[in-house]
Amino acid sequence: DGGITQSPKYLFRKEGQNVTLSCEQNLNHDAMYWYRQDPGQGLRLIYYSQIVNDFQKGDIAEGYSVSREKKESFPLTVTSAQKNPTAFYLCASSMRGSTGELFFGEGSRLTVL
Amino acid sequence: EDQVTQSPEALRLQEGESSSLNCSYTVSGLRGLFWYRQDPGKGPEFLFTLYSAGEEKEKERLKATLTKKESFLHITAPKPEDSATYLCAVQANTDKLIFGTGTRLQVFP
């Protein structure tokens, strides 16, 4: 079955540590996205990529980094520069030209201790 | 400023009690309005796309409608398995997708 796989589902991190969240899709979608979800707020876009080896900052990119070396993969690194990293992180993908019809992964919940 | 507001924040219904969820928006040039369903601890699941005022889409007990200022998600004779958070998102002519904060629906048997 086609879909998006995020890992790990739960992750704990000490302050000052970087952590990388994995996102893999087998839908053959060109575009991939990372969103952050916090209680009482709408989903906020961190980074997106429309094509391999290219990506753009979203609304809240500070303290995060990404790479897009393969069409199927779009990992997100939460760096120690991110001031409030505890959140639910969602990876999504879409077909070219259908940027509102997103397919989401199951999410990764990051807790900073 | 582009904005999406969903109401109510939470809604409790008895099984079979029909109701509507609202998504009002102010954006510069609407390119599309999207409804998603999100179960606790999971990623959102795409439901509908609406492009122009007057358009309607249906899926099982759900029907989405669109006017120039808002969209409604009508739930007819809901069942407990319809319990979830329903998210609305609007795409402006900048291609930016703006999400509302969602309506948490609980349906009791």
Side-chain angles (χ1 to χ4, degrees), chain A residues 9 35 37 40-43 59 88 90 99-102 104-106, chain B residues 34 36 38 41-44 46 49 51 87 91 96-97 99-101:
Chain A
K9 189 167 178 64
Y35 282 90
Q37 188 172 37
Q41 297 196 44
L43 272 67
D59 297 320
F88 190 50
L90 289 159
T99 51
E101 296 181 8
L102 302 176
F104 283 89
E106 295 273 277
Chain B
F34 309 89
Y36 289 84
Q38 185 174 24
K42 302 288 180 95
F46 170 74
T49 303
Y51 291 109
L87 303 176
Q91 187 174 25
K96 184 176 178 179
L97 197 62
F99 279 87
T101 54

Side-chain angles (χ1 to χ4, degrees), chain A residues 3-113:
Chain A
I4 297 182
T5 302
Q6 287 187 241
S7 63
K9 189 167 178 64
Y10 299 97
L11 186 62
F12 297 88
R13 187 195 95 178
K14 293 183 179 179
E15 283 192 20
Q17 290 181 334
N18 292 354
V19 62
T20 297
L21 308 180
S22 170
C23 178
E24 303 277 333
Q25 56 102 355
N26 60 3
L27 298 167
N28 199 32
H29 285 169
D30 290 303
M32 296 188 74
Y33 312 80
W34 275 104
Y35 282 90
R36 169 178 173 145
Q37 188 172 37
D38 295 284
Q41 297 196 44
L43 272 67
R44 291 183 291 167
L45 183 64
I46 304 173
Y47 268 99
Y48 65 101
S49 168
Q50 306 270 27
I51 195 169
V52 173
N53 292 322
D54 188 41
F55 48 82
Q56 287 76 42
K57 293 181 179 180
D59 297 320
I60 56 165
E62 185 175 350
Y64 299 98
S65 65
V66 293
S67 64
R68 186 88 187 273
E69 297 177 0
K70 299 186 299 182
K71 185 175 183 178
E72 302 79 17
S73 179
F74 191 41
L76 172 74
T77 296
V78 184
T79 75
S80 56
Q82 168 51 233
K83 294 180 181 179
N84 187 19
T86 294
F88 190 50
Y89 291 89
L90 289 159
C91 179
S93 69
S94 71
M95 294 186 290
R96 187 179 301 180
S98 299
T99 51
E101 296 181 8
L102 302 176
F103 289 81
F104 283 89
E106 295 273 277
S108 293
R109 186 167 297 281
L110 172 63
T111 303
V112 174
L113 304 172

Side-chain angles (χ1 to χ4, degrees), chain B residues 4-89:
Chain B
V4 177
T5 303
Q6 290 189 247
S7 62
E9 287 187 14
L11 182 62
R12 293 164 57 100
L13 298 175
Q14 204 70 35
E15 185 173 2
E17 179 186 4
S18 301
S19 188
S20 296
L21 283 56
N22 178 265
C23 172
S24 62
Y25 61 90
T26 52
V27 293
S28 50
L30 178 71
R31 292 190 60 183
L33 186 142
F34 309 89
W35 282 98
Y36 289 84
R37 169 193 171 125
Q38 185 174 24
D39 292 307
K42 302 288 180 95
E45 175 189 354
F46 170 74
L47 292 173
F48 303 111
T49 303
L50 300 167
Y51 291 109
S52 56
E55 190 175 358
E56 298 182 353
K57 293 277 180 71
E58 283 189 67
K59 181 180 179 180
E60 296 180 354
R61 295 176 292 282
L62 301 177
K63 183 169 85 171
T65 62
L66 180 65
T67 72
K68 288 186 177 180
K69 293 185 178 181
E70 58 191 348
S71 176
F72 292 93
L73 185 65
H74 307 278
I75 303 177
T76 302
K79 297 182 178 181
E81 53 262 42
D82 295 321
S83 298
T85 295
Y86 291 86
L87 303 176
C88 168

